[in-house]
Amino acid sequence: MSVFSGMSRPMKAAGVALVGVAVIAAVIGGITALGGGDGSNEAGPSGTTTPPGSSSAPPSSTSSSATPPSTSSPASTSPAPPSPTSPGAGQPTSAGPGQPGQPGGDQQASNKWVTVRVFNNSTIKGLADRAAEDFRGGGWNVNEVSNYSQGIIPTTTAFYRPGTDEEAAAKQLAQEFGIKAEPRFEGIQSASPGVIVIVTKEYQSGHKGS
């Protein structure tokens, strides 16, 4: 027997409608329940999960454009070979026997470059030549040998012009050979430049003072 027996027609219609609504509501509820379960299984967190201990930003890489420290080799410091030098002032300049000292050396060597002229004032033949050889042997620059007959000279003397390089040269020559050194006298004032040695008879050939 139907549940709608004994009801009036309007009541039957209302009951059918309610049953239909209930069925539809049940169907919708079932679909909703099924859809909610599937969504919970598929849905994940909105962001990407970062494992513990790791940074979200990638590590910065070392710039490949960094300039390495300069490794250029130091400049060469090897010493240049020493160049030959001339003897300094105050150092003696060597001169071979019979050769005058080099100019620019010590004072004594420079003095020997002053011109020396030797004159015989005696009757001894060749006396001036012997004296000239003695002077040359000592390194003096003798360039003239002759006779002096304009007067009598008391003793062998080296004459010079005061205030010139002849003065130091004449005094050095006189000391070396044991003779006198004096300024030029009137008769030879205008003679050519240089030390003038007038030898007399007492000159001893080869004699050399201290």
Side-chain angles (χ1 to χ4, degrees):
M1 184 177 198
S2 172
V3 287
F4 298 110
S5 335
M7 291 184 181
S8 63
R9 185 168 293 184
M11 291 295 293
K12 289 180 179 178
V16 171
L18 288 173
V19 172
V21 170
V23 171
I24 291 172
V27 171
I28 292 173
I31 293 173
T32 301
L34 292 173
D38 293 339
S40 63
N41 291 333
E42 294 176 0
S46 59
T48 304
T49 304
T50 303
S54 64
S55 174
S56 59
S60 60
S61 60
T62 304
S63 173
S64 61
S65 61
T67 304
S70 173
T71 57
S72 58
S73 59
S76 174
T77 58
S78 58
S83 58
T85 56
S86 58
Q91 296 181 348
T93 305
S94 61
Q99 299 297 322
Q102 300 297 319
D106 63 17
Q107 186 60 46
Q108 289 187 346
S110 297
N111 289 340
K112 294 188 177 184
W113 274 91
V114 176
T115 300
V116 177
R117 300 200 303 281
V118 184
F119 296 91
N120 188 356
N121 189 233
S122 75
T123 57
I124 303 173
K125 186 177 181 180
L127 182 61
D129 289 311
R130 293 200 302 270
E133 288 303 312
D134 291 340
F135 300 157
R136 289 188 182 110
W140 291 90
N141 182 26
V142 178
N143 69 353
E144 182 181 355
V145 178
S146 187
N147 295 317
Y148 179 75
S149 58
Q150 305 300 317
I152 302 298
I153 306 300
T155 186
T156 302
T157 306
F159 296 97
Y160 59 86
R161 292 176 298 167
T164 68
D165 54 358
E166 296 172 11
E167 183 171 358
K171 291 178 178 179
Q172 181 179 330
L173 177 65
Q175 183 179 14
E176 288 185 9
F177 290 92
I179 62 178
K180 292 179 64 176
E182 293 182 357
R184 289 189 183 188
F185 56 88
E186 183 70 27
I188 59 174
Q189 286 286 355
S190 59
S192 300
V195 175
I196 296 175
V197 180
I198 300 179
V199 293
T200 59
K201 61 183 179 181
E202 95 290 344
Y203 177 77
Q204 297 180 8
S205 180
H207 172 76
K208 191 170 182 178
S210 57

